[in-house]
Amino acid sequence: MAELGCGEHKAAIYDRCEGQKLVDLDDITALSWGRALDTYSSASVTVGRAGSCCDLLTNMRSWRHELVIWRNNRQVWSGPIVRPVFGAGETTIPARDRWAWLDFRAVRADMTLTGDLTDIAVRLIEHGLTHPDGDFDDETCILAFLEAIPSGVYGSRDFKALQSMVGAELRNLTRGPLNATFLGRRLVLFGPKPLSRTAMLQDKDFMDELTVVEDGLSAVTRAYVAGQTVTATAGGTDPYYGLLEQIYQDQTVTTQFDAQTLAQAQVDTNGWPPLVISVPDGVQLAPDAPVDIDELVPGTEVPVWSSRTCREVNQNLVLTKLDVTVSPDQGERVAVTLAPGTALSEQLTGSGGVG
């Protein structure tokens, strides 16, 4: 059985696209990295002056160079350096994964893209990574390591020239059933189906207590969806719970079919107060938790069984964020953020009830 274990980390600076190595980092005093669903993740390495890499760090440049991190000799993270800080006693090297490139590429033309949401995202990214002023290679390497899994959801999206950045528009697309995550150099686009599934985690696998919540504030027996030019209604009065209404607004919904589908999905999912396992955001995993670090990819389904409260619950959650930190005094800390399984297909923001 896989086990998380305790990791030993190393890091290096490379030319972009993990080209020529600039320097192996030594005298590391702090290190962190992560993975995130539907946005960029960050990493940072701090090195002191006792090592041998200081002279070479003078050649390090934002965007031109990348930070690469390994755990137990397996690469776990890479991305462009964005804002190095040179101090008298130490140098801190922050970086973001390759989503950062998309946040610095503009939507440069009016576009209407139609098809599977994954295909729309790919064409949006291709637009952003095409240089407007000459035949340049893709210095981001995003397209070379792009894995596009059809979402199974079709739609149409309008984009206006010089009104937004490609990264922001990709985040908008992932508000619905499309999802995106970077795993090292690899960008994975996928739909509401989890990427994979880990072994079951139990109370003892977390370094903090789990709670079970009957979330009555999320219940809805009648759902209204208000899109850009369409509205839809599903559900009604429940004979047991009564009438609980919610209004979901999303200006990206443009067809009656999409609006009706979303309204029905809300009633199907939350037609009664859902019973959920509440896992604290950023909870630390125990070293003997039965998962490998390579399994902890945002979009992965994580079954959790809690039996320490008055209500025993077995529920499938989804990993949305991973944070790994290493320090001399505390060693390695592997922390996860888990959300209900609907996190991969959530569409709209609701209003109603009591917050």
Side-chain angles (χ1 to χ4, degrees):
M1 177 182 292
E3 187 174 284
L4 182 61
C6 296
E8 295 185 1
H9 288 78
K10 61 181 181 180
I13 305 299
Y14 280 78
D15 199 3
R16 60 191 178 198
C17 284
E18 295 184 29
Q20 183 176 353
K21 183 189 293 186
L22 176 66
V23 60
D24 287 310
L25 297 177
D26 57 4
D27 191 24
I28 295 176
T29 60
L31 181 148
S32 65
W33 61 276
R35 296 168 180 156
L37 183 68
D38 299 340
T39 191
Y40 68 83
S41 65
S42 299
S44 179
V45 175
T46 300
V47 296
R49 297 296 299 271
S52 59
C53 65
C54 185
D55 290 342
L56 291 174
L57 289 179
T58 190
N59 297 318
M60 177 179 61
R61 297 292 183 269
S62 300
W63 297 109
R64 178 71 205 196
H65 293 102
E66 297 181 340
L67 176 64
V68 182
I69 298 175
W70 294 264
R71 181 184 189 268
N72 294 341
N73 294 318
R74 288 184 291 179
Q75 184 176 319
V76 291
W77 197 93
S78 73
I81 295 165
V82 292
R83 197 172 182 269
V85 179
F86 300 88
E90 62 184 20
T91 300
T92 300
I93 307 168
R96 296 181 180 180
D97 68 30
R98 283 170 171 75
W99 194 302
W101 282 105
L102 302 178
D103 285 330
F104 278 75
R105 295 296 177 90
V107 176
R108 297 183 294 270
D110 290 345
M111 298 184 295
T112 298
L113 303 180
T114 302
D116 187 289
L117 294 184
T118 295
D119 185 53
I120 291 176
V122 170
R123 284 183 283 167
L124 173 67
I125 293 169
E126 289 174 340
H127 167 80
L129 298 182
T130 300
H131 285 264
D133 48 2
D135 186 17
F136 289 87
D137 292 335
D138 174 23
E139 69 269 37
T140 73
C141 286
I142 291 175
L143 295 177
F145 296 93
L146 176 61
E147 181 178 348
I149 303 171
S151 70
V153 179
Y154 293 81
S156 179
R157 297 292 186 272
D158 294 325
F159 304 96
K160 299 299 183 183
L162 304 182
Q163 298 298 307
S164 59
M165 309 304 285
V166 171
E169 292 295 352
L170 183 58
R171 287 186 187 87
N172 287 336
L173 281 171
T174 61
R175 291 178 60 201
L178 178 70
N179 293 280
T181 189
F182 270 93
L183 182 59
R185 290 186 293 180
R186 182 162 58 102
L187 170 60
V188 184
L189 299 171
F190 59 104
K193 183 179 179 180
L195 283 176
S196 60
R197 180 182 174 93
T198 70
M200 179 174 289
L201 301 185
Q202 303 178 47
D203 296 271
K204 64 182 179 63
D205 296 317
F206 299 91
M207 303 294 284
D208 203 349
E209 290 187 1
L210 308 184
T211 57
V212 175
V213 179
E214 185 181 88
D215 190 9
L217 298 180
S218 294
V220 53
T221 65
R222 186 176 181 87
Y224 302 92
V225 170
Q228 189 175 56
T229 58
V230 294
T231 60
T233 305
T237 301
D238 184 88
Y240 186 81
Y241 289 107
L243 178 63
L244 299 168
E245 296 180 304
Q246 289 271 15
I247 301 172
Y248 302 90
Q249 298 179 334
D250 191 334
Q251 293 301 300
T252 67
V253 177
T254 58
T255 69
Q256 187 64 41
F257 176 80
D258 286 347
Q260 193 63 50
T261 299
L262 297 180
Q264 189 61 52
Q266 293 297 330
V267 174
D268 292 343
T269 303
N270 300 307
W272 54 88
L275 192 65
V276 297
I277 297 177
S278 179
V279 180
D281 288 351
V283 63
Q284 182 178 354
L285 291 179
D288 58 355
V291 291
D292 187 270
I293 196 72
D294 289 343
E295 296 180 272
L296 297 177
V297 177
T300 294
E301 187 174 71
V302 182
V304 179
W305 174 32
S306 178
S307 58
R308 289 182 178 172
T309 73
C310 293
R311 299 188 72 171
E312 185 173 327
V313 178
N314 184 345
Q315 187 175 27
N316 293 328
L317 303 178
V318 171
L319 176 68
T320 60
K321 191 176 183 184
L322 172 70
D323 290 297
V324 179
T325 56
V326 182
S327 61
D329 53 340
Q330 295 185 349
E332 182 189 50
R333 183 179 187 274
V334 179
V336 296
T337 298
L338 303 176
T342 53
L344 292 179
S345 57
E346 282 181 345
Q347 302 278 341
L348 309 171
T349 300
S351 62
V354 181

